Amino acid sequence: MDFILQGHEINLKGANRGFFTTRLRANLERMLEGTGSKVGMRGMGVIVTTPDDAAADVRRRLERALGVQTIVAGQRVAPDAEAIAPVALAMVASQPGASFALDVKRPDKALALSSHDVAVYVGHYIEEKLGLPVDLRHPERLCTIVLSRKGALVSRAPELGPGGMPAGTAGRLLGLLSAGFDSPVAAYRLIRRGARVMLIHFYGTPLAGNASSVGPAEDMARALTRHQLHTRLYLCPFEPVQRAVIAATPSAYRVLIYRRMMLRIASALADKIFAHGLVTGDSLAQVASQTSLNLEAVSAATRLPIYRPLIGDDKVAIQAEARRIGTFDISAAASTGATDDCCSAFMPRTPALASSVGELDDAEREFDGAPLIVSSLSAIATRRYRLRGDTVELV
Ligand code: ATP
Ligand code: MG
């Protein structure tokens, strides 16, 4: 089976197109390792040639091939109606819908076989085998047959790929990752645009009987590695910071000051690893720390751009996306399994809804964050993940 992959955005790239296609091909080679597939070029698109018994597996992996907007599955057979019929049948059978149509083309006019004859023969064959009616106006299943002397190409209707840009083409960012639903989806949004999103997770000591959030954070990093192929997860202990914040700042501002400290530590790390922005899962008004005023007051702690791709999204939409990208179950298990990251243990009773930059600066007057940033950085443990074929390896 051949899969012809098109990236519409890549095709608009003019002189830089080669850079994106080269990366896409390298990514595909890595993702498809072990399937016996070959990756090459066909016109503007990339063609993946796959042994028939691996076709379903390859098609499933292509769901994660960022940069691919459309996928056309096709098979080459001898240019005669009897050879085409069973292949076309399989193409129609693998699609949903109550009717079908064949679109037969013969660009090679020297071929004796007429497209009408092929359409009639193959159409009857499929009608008989599947008991499905032909509907030329609004077919729900489509099979395209292109005839030439070299062979016939029998394909399914174009299907949608994940879109976006090939992984690893848009620079490096650092994502703040909790065990919740939002932050992995936020990281994915920028991964989908080609950024390599490294992850930092702050963890505390769980309350007695509760699980640590480190396990879910590691699972999350693995799930995101399936899309971006390489991930680094930085695990940073946060309890010393929380104790210092509790000792030296008013309780209503605690969560906001935790957030400021997370941003400061993340920014210091970003400088070290050459990441040029931070990513968070904030969504406007989701919780008290995410009112527009509080977001302003918290953001003042860093000069780096903060990407908040979910800012206008509802929880329902975020969770639906989490299902598609494979992080939903990890977040759901973490939320029902009494997992403590750093914040649940030290929540104030009434968090401030509207603070200003000045108010927070004021609340931090007795608090010295600088030495805590240094000690936090040196306490970070690093995990490196890499995708090879269908498995995520710890390297
Ligand atoms: P999420 O937003 O990922 O569902 P959450 O709802 O528990 O997790 P929020 O209180 O909404 O977290 O925090 C807002 C953002 O702050 C998160 O999306 C994430 O980017 C960052 N953040 C929160 N807690 C942590 C943590 N323990 N480690 C790293 N980043 C965190
Ligand atoms: Mg959230």
Side-chain angles (χ1 to χ4, degrees):
M1 178 90 85
D2 288 346
F3 294 96
I4 295 162
L5 313 178
Q6 296 284 350
H8 299 157
E9 273 198 67
I10 300 178
N11 290 346
L12 300 175
K13 284 288 178 195
N16 286 330
R17 204 162 65 86
F19 166 72
F20 291 96
T21 347
T22 305
R23 184 49 72 88
L24 176 59
R25 285 179 62 177
N27 290 352
L28 287 166
E29 273 163 10
R30 181 165 279 270
M31 298 177 81
L32 301 178
E33 245 186 72
T35 63
S37 302
K38 279 210 276 300
V39 181
M41 293 300 295
R42 160 87 57 83
M44 295 277 267
V46 171
I47 176 164
V48 175
T49 307
T50 298
D52 285 345
D53 58 353
D57 183 23
V58 166
R59 180 62 188 83
R60 189 177 48 76
R61 295 188 198 189
L62 291 176
E63 285 297 309
R64 290 183 270 110
L66 296 175
V68 172
Q69 263 91 19
T70 59
I71 302 172
V72 175
Q75 194 150 344
R76 298 201 158 274
V77 290
D80 73 75
E82 280 170 34
I84 293 169
V87 177
L89 171 71
M91 294 294 178
V92 173
S94 65
Q95 301 174 52
S99 60
F100 79 100
L102 301 173
D103 179 13
V104 188
K105 299 184 175 91
R106 190 184 54 150
D108 181 355
K109 298 298 176 208
L111 189 71
L113 193 65
S114 90
S115 38
H116 178 76
D117 292 349
V118 170
V120 169
Y121 181 90
V122 177
H124 280 144
Y125 182 89
I126 294 174
E127 264 179 323
E128 210 167 90
K129 295 268 184 209
L130 290 183
L132 209 63
V134 172
D135 180 347
L136 295 178
R137 288 230 175 134
H138 305 288
E140 291 182 28
R141 311 183 192 196
L142 185 68
C143 174
T144 304
I145 301 168
V146 182
L147 303 169
S148 78
R149 272 167 295 178
K150 277 193 278 175
L153 179 66
V154 184
S155 349
R156 279 204 293 256
E159 293 153 22
L160 287 183
M165 300 302 287
T169 53
R172 185 179 291 177
L173 299 171
L174 180 61
L176 282 78
L177 180 80
S178 73
F181 288 101
D182 309 322
S183 46
V185 175
Y188 174 77
R189 287 279 181 90
L190 287 137
I191 290 170
R192 187 171 170 276
R193 294 303 305 162
R196 195 79 83 192
V197 182
M198 304 293 137
L199 305 166
I200 182 167
H201 175 67
F202 298 95
Y203 64 94
T205 311
L207 296 176
N210 285 2
S212 160
S213 59
V214 169
E218 290 172 329
D219 293 345
M220 218 64 97
R222 284 176 174 276
L224 291 171
T225 305
R226 294 191 165 279
H227 303 276
Q228 68 172 342
L229 285 60
H230 294 272
T231 303
R232 248 181 280 160
L233 171 66
Y234 298 94
L235 294 166
C236 182
F238 202 57
E239 199 178 316
V241 172
Q242 289 177 304
R243 294 203 178 282
V245 170
I246 290 168
T249 67
S251 78
Y253 297 108
R254 249 181 226 168
V255 173
L256 300 178
I257 297 174
Y258 296 158
R259 292 271 180 268
R260 275 192 164 192
M261 284 303 290
M262 287 184 187
L263 291 180
R264 288 181 182 126
I265 297 165
S267 302
L269 176 65
D271 284 345
K272 265 179 54 173
I273 65 169
F274 307 102
H276 297 284
L278 305 178
V279 185
T280 72
D282 294 309
S283 160
L284 191 66
Q286 187 187 82
V287 290
S289 59
Q290 294 167 24
T291 60
S292 57
L293 280 83
N294 282 345
L295 288 171
E296 181 194 16
V298 167
S299 306
T302 179
R303 55 155 194 89
L304 282 180
I306 303 175
Y307 296 93
R308 296 185 167 101
L310 307 184
I311 199 67
D313 287 315
D314 295 347
K315 201 79 182 180
V316 182
I318 294 168
Q319 291 188 340
E321 192 165 346
R323 278 185 206 281
R324 288 198 296 278
I325 66 169
T327 60
F328 182 91
D329 290 343
I330 306 167
S331 305
S335 67
T336 54
T339 308
D340 278 344
D341 66 355
C342 43
C343 295
S344 34
F346 299 103
M347 277 303 214
R349 252 183 261 284
T350 45
L353 276 174
S355 62
S356 64
V357 178
E359 251 174 286
L360 268 198
D361 289 349
D362 228 31
E364 286 187 322
R365 221 174 0 173
E366 307 282 303
F367 172 77
D368 185 9
L372 285 162
I373 297 171
V374 175
S375 56
S376 296
L377 280 185
S378 61
I380 285 177
T382 308
R383 305 251 193 286
R384 291 179 169 78
Y385 300 94
R386 173 177 71 191
L387 185 73
R388 169 160 292 180
D390 213 19
T391 29
V392 176
E393 299 175 338
L394 187 62
V395 286

